[in-house]
Amino acid sequence: MSVLCSSEEVVRQVRQEIGPKSILSFSRGKDSIGAYLAIRDHFEEIVPYHLYLVPGLSFVDESLDYYERHVFRRKIINLPHPSFFRWLNNYTFLPPGYAQVIRSAKLPNFSYLDVFSWVCRIEGLDPEKMLVASGVRAADSPLRRVAFSKHGAISYSQRQYYPVHDWNKARLLSQIDASGIPLPDDYLLFGRSFDGLDYRFLKPLKDQRPADYRRILEFFPLAEAEVHRYERAAA
């Protein structure tokens, strides 16, 4: 059974192991902002990367621009999320006529470890010596709590460490509030960060960000059926 260290001990241990630079998985959500706050005083340089689910959404790009200028003061590496290509390869919300085009394109499927390797290559870092800070917390689910208790808060196989693993929601929100770093507009639109193509995200975009809604339909035209299904059921 692994001995689970506190988040502070995890950050100190990682700092000793990897040196003055850390990579940060930055989803723009509250947990990733918390992870940044937990490590910012321990590393001389933090390399943030973001994974977009759909390219070119204005509310995403606006928040990235803000965090680049006012928080990190450097470019945030912006790469496709594995789900983007998985949705396309699985014909998610795509008309049948798109199938041949998708097959011919031979779009890649890739993992978070592949993303880690790309970030290291972009930054000229040795992937064998680097770890990524992730905002995953034990309080998010019982399964995560068990996983942390069993395996600890550093995963060398996944090249990740979890600097807020033992933070509860109250501590997380308190730290963010004290920092003055705003949450992105996702929280006004959805109450959470954007992470899917279901009704919870599509309906607010259709009503409040119609240009972004149309942008999603450019890639996933039949996503509109998801909205119609709920609206018809509510009628």
Side-chain angles (χ1 to χ4, degrees):
M1 183 71 71
S2 173
V3 176
L4 184 58
C5 299
S6 70
S7 56
E8 291 81 8
E9 291 171 323
V10 167
V11 175
R12 285 195 294 269
Q13 178 180 333
V14 170
R15 174 63 174 82
Q16 291 174 353
E17 291 182 9
I18 70 174
K21 182 182 290 190
S22 175
I23 301 172
L24 170 68
S25 175
F26 186 67
S27 68
R28 304 174 304 109
K30 65 182 187 303
D31 292 338
S32 66
I33 294 175
Y36 166 70
L37 295 175
I39 69 173
R40 65 176 177 176
D41 293 332
H42 298 270
F43 294 91
E44 281 70 34
E45 185 176 358
I46 295 172
V47 178
Y49 73 85
H50 171 265
L51 302 180
Y52 60 79
L53 284 164
V54 178
L57 297 180
S58 67
F59 69 95
V60 174
D61 293 343
E62 289 163 7
S63 65
L64 289 175
D65 178 68
Y66 176 89
Y67 294 128
E68 285 179 349
R69 290 187 291 112
H70 299 289
V71 177
F72 298 108
R73 293 179 171 81
R74 60 152 289 159
K75 189 71 175 175
I76 298 171
I77 298 170
N78 197 23
L79 298 169
H81 196 288
S83 292
F84 176 58
F85 285 98
R86 185 176 70 250
W87 290 338
L88 292 174
N89 284 326
N90 290 333
Y91 315 122
T92 304
F93 291 132
L94 295 180
Y98 281 48
Q100 182 58 47
V101 175
I102 295 296
R103 285 196 295 268
S104 298
K106 296 181 179 179
L107 298 174
N109 284 308
F110 53 89
S111 68
Y112 292 110
L113 276 175
D114 293 322
V115 171
F116 166 72
S117 297
W118 298 342
V119 173
C120 288
R121 190 177 308 131
I122 291 168
E123 290 291 313
L125 301 172
D126 182 351
E128 297 297 320
K129 298 179 180 178
M130 295 304 299
L131 293 169
V132 178
S134 170
V136 174
R137 296 183 298 120
D140 288 342
S141 72
L143 287 177
R144 286 180 174 174
R145 187 178 299 278
V146 170
F148 281 130
S149 297
K150 186 174 182 180
H151 302 293
I154 302 175
S155 174
Y156 294 100
S157 62
Q158 296 299 310
R159 309 307 300 170
Q160 293 194 5
Y161 69 102
Y162 306 97
V164 293
H165 73 89
D166 58 358
W167 289 22
N168 59 25
K169 186 175 181 180
R171 179 180 179 184
L172 177 69
L173 295 179
S174 175
Q175 292 286 339
I176 294 174
D177 184 62
S179 75
I181 297 175
L183 296 174
D185 283 352
D186 304 45
Y187 285 85
L188 298 176
L189 289 164
F190 322 116
R192 55 175 299 165
S193 57
F194 174 68
D195 70 354
L197 297 178
D198 58 81
Y199 183 80
R200 295 172 301 160
F201 303 105
L202 295 173
K203 177 61 172 175
L205 290 176
K206 181 181 180 182
D207 293 343
Q208 302 178 54
R209 291 272 191 160
D212 285 328
Y213 180 68
R214 291 193 297 271
R215 178 65 173 169
I216 290 175
L217 297 184
E218 288 179 19
F219 290 95
F220 307 101
L222 296 185
E224 196 160 25
E226 175 81 354
V227 177
H228 289 329
R229 182 166 66 93
Y230 277 86
E231 289 179 340
R232 184 172 180 178

